[in-house]
């Protein structure tokens, strides 16, 4: 299952969050999210202190735990998402049933 995580840094916490993230090695970044989460991509809007990540995991609990790692610095929204192929397949299935 794929998840979209959007985040917004708490007021006054962008500098702390950026400093923490900048110090992380790729290995620490992987450990932060855990072995059951595959990061597909992550994009940062530093001017507004927000961003988005797309990841894949069979564990919603693991994704929620990853988001909670950053809870003191930011608010995160986690939602399941479908890619184009999954969306087309669902649309075709629903059209046949209509």
């Amino acid at each position: 299952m794929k998840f979209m995580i959007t985040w917004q840094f708490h007021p006054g916490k962008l500098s702390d969050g950026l400093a923490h993230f900048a110090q992380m090695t790729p290995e620490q970044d992987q450990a932060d999210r855990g072995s059951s989460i595959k990061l597909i991509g992550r994009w940062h809007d530093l001017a507004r202190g927000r961003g988005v990540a797309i990841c894949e995991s069979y564990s919603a609990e693991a994704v929620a735990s990853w988001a909670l790692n950053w809870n003191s610095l930011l608010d995160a929204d986690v939602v399941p998402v479908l890619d184009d192929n999954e969306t087309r397949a669902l649309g075709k299935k629903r059209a046949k049933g209509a």
Side-chain angles (χ1 to χ4, degrees):
M1 185 179 329
K2 285 176 257 342
F3 295 90
M4 177 175 63
I5 304 167
T6 56
W7 67 86
Q8 177 73 54
F9 278 96
H10 298 155
K13 294 293 185 174
L14 175 60
S15 293
D16 293 341
L18 182 57
H20 179 71
F21 182 76
Q23 296 298 318
M24 294 175 80
T25 65
E27 295 78 20
Q28 290 168 325
D29 191 22
Q30 172 63 52
D32 183 53
R33 67 181 171 271
S35 61
S36 64
I37 299 173
K38 175 185 174 192
L39 180 63
I40 296 171
R42 180 169 42 202
W43 298 266
H44 308 264
D45 175 0
L46 294 178
R48 294 189 179 168
R50 63 186 183 177
V52 63
I54 305 295
C55 65
E56 191 167 19
S57 180
Y58 290 104
S59 172
E61 181 180 337
V63 177
S65 181
W66 179 29
L68 284 172
N69 290 347
W70 293 84
N71 196 45
S72 66
L73 297 168
L74 54 81
D75 290 323
D77 290 316
V78 180
V79 296
V81 293
L82 303 174
D83 65 24
D84 285 354
N85 292 333
E86 293 163 329
T87 300
R88 283 188 185 102
L90 178 60
K92 288 176 184 178
K93 195 186 301 185
R94 290 183 57 88
K96 288 180 185 177

